[in-house]
Amino acid sequence: MQLFKNRFIQTVLLGCGAKLLFSTIGYMMFLQAFPIDNEKGKHIKQFEHVRKVRSEYYRNHPHEELNEQ
């Protein structure tokens, strides 16, 4: 394990560890500041489902106004 006695390698490993530590702390603080709202998530999923259903409908039933564009 001569590699870990190298000063440059020690510095790189320390920097990677510090970056991982602070990014984890920052992510935890972000989660605390902006909690996930389940009701909002359900609303977004419902909106996406309605959009998907409408796109399928218009794909199966083309309208003249939409084809002119």
Side-chain angles (χ1 to χ4, degrees), residues 20-62:
L20 179 65
L21 176 71
F22 287 121
S23 63
T24 304
I25 292 172
Y27 180 68
M28 291 299 183
M29 290 174 64
F30 178 80
L31 288 179
Q32 290 290 327
F34 303 104
I36 297 171
D37 187 9
N38 290 335
E39 186 175 321
K40 195 174 195 179
K42 287 179 186 177
H43 180 71
I44 291 171
K45 286 182 182 178
Q46 180 185 7
F47 177 76
E48 289 173 349
H49 176 70
V50 168
R51 204 170 104 192
K52 183 179 176 184
V53 168
R54 286 182 182 172
S55 69
E56 284 293 321
Y57 174 79
Y58 285 118
R59 194 172 295 125
N60 294 332
H61 303 89

Side-chain angles (χ1 to χ4, degrees), residues 1 4-6 9-11 13 16 25 28 32 38 42 46 48 56 58 63 65:
M1 287 280 134
F4 293 122
K5 291 183 181 179
N6 187 345
I9 298 299
Q10 287 179 351
T11 305
L13 289 174
C16 289
I25 292 172
M28 291 299 183
Q32 290 290 327
N38 290 335
K42 287 179 186 177
Q46 180 185 7
E48 289 173 349
E56 284 293 321
Y58 285 118
H63 295 328
E65 297 88 15

